[in-house]
Amino acid sequence: GESVGLHLPTLSVQEGDNSIINCAYSNSASDYFIWYKQESGKGPQFIIDIRSNMDKRQGQRVTVLLNKTVKHLSLQIAATQPGDSAVYFCAENKVKAAGNKLTFGGGTRVLVKP
Amino acid sequence: DAEITQSPRHKITETGRQVTLACHQTWNHNNMFWYRQDLGHGLRLIHYSYGVQDTNKGEVSDGYSVSRSNTEDLPLTLESAASSQTSVYFCASSEGQGGNEQFFGPGTRLTVL
């Protein structure tokens, strides 16, 4: 598989603890905000999205929070597991009639300590 | 099962050569995308297509071209490879309008010497 050793901010988390990954976005006109996970040697994988008119959305073990006032997005992972070790990217989507196109942020590396 | 594949997985070429990276998806998705991933830059969009015969430039399209002759394939061509194009390239596809979930291929590591 392919991977890139990105010089990324790193979050070290003890297994079983909760993780919070933050992202600042720039485009107030975006319709959706999305989180992707990229494991070593693989392509990114969709985790969860949130529409711009919402402030919270929950999935399985994950919660995304959106604060439009300060243009801030966060991903909370409950009871972090070793399989959560990966690079996490936030992305924005401004939906247009022709189709969708995502703009990705720089990413955060999460390391889960046993 | 539906999937998205890329070939080759690794490629070494010389400056000035033309290189084509293949991307094939069996999701029957209208939308297809090419990204490059470099140290410190995350994923940057090169070109994208919303359907057959449709192609659009992304934020880093200089030196690259794509063509979409069928739904399944979106080959990426580097017209004259440069060392600055050494990178990992990812292809992705998604459903029609508003699709936030893009399905990514495994990537191609390209080295230009």
Side-chain angles (χ1 to χ4, degrees), chain A:
Chain A
E2 300 302 327
S3 63
V4 177
L6 301 172
H7 296 310
L8 299 168
T10 299
L11 175 67
S12 292
V13 182
Q14 198 71 37
E15 182 178 355
D17 288 352
N18 297 333
S19 303
I20 300 176
I21 307 163
N22 297 304
C23 176
Y25 65 89
S26 57
N27 187 359
S28 298
S30 293
D31 297 299
Y32 290 90
F33 299 89
I34 311 106
W35 282 99
Y36 277 79
K37 172 186 180 183
Q38 186 176 23
E39 298 177 20
S40 181
K42 297 182 179 179
Q45 183 177 19
F46 174 89
I47 302 173
I48 191 169
D49 61 1
I50 186 168
R51 192 164 183 152
S52 60
N53 62 356
M54 300 172 63
D55 53 22
K56 181 179 180 179
R57 188 177 185 206
Q58 289 185 299
Q60 187 176 12
R61 271 201 317 119
V62 295
T63 301
V64 56
L65 299 178
L66 176 62
N67 186 330
K68 293 181 286 294
T69 302
V70 295
K71 296 184 181 180
H72 184 266
L73 183 71
S74 68
L75 179 71
Q76 300 178 1
I77 304 173
T80 309
Q81 302 170 358
D84 296 326
S85 291
V87 176
Y88 290 81
F89 293 96
C90 62
E92 306 172 45
N93 181 10
K94 175 60 181 173
V95 178
K96 298 181 179 178
N100 70 90
K101 180 167 68 72
L102 304 183
T103 301
F104 284 85
T108 298
R109 187 183 305 279
V110 172
L111 294 176
V112 181
K113 298 177 289 185

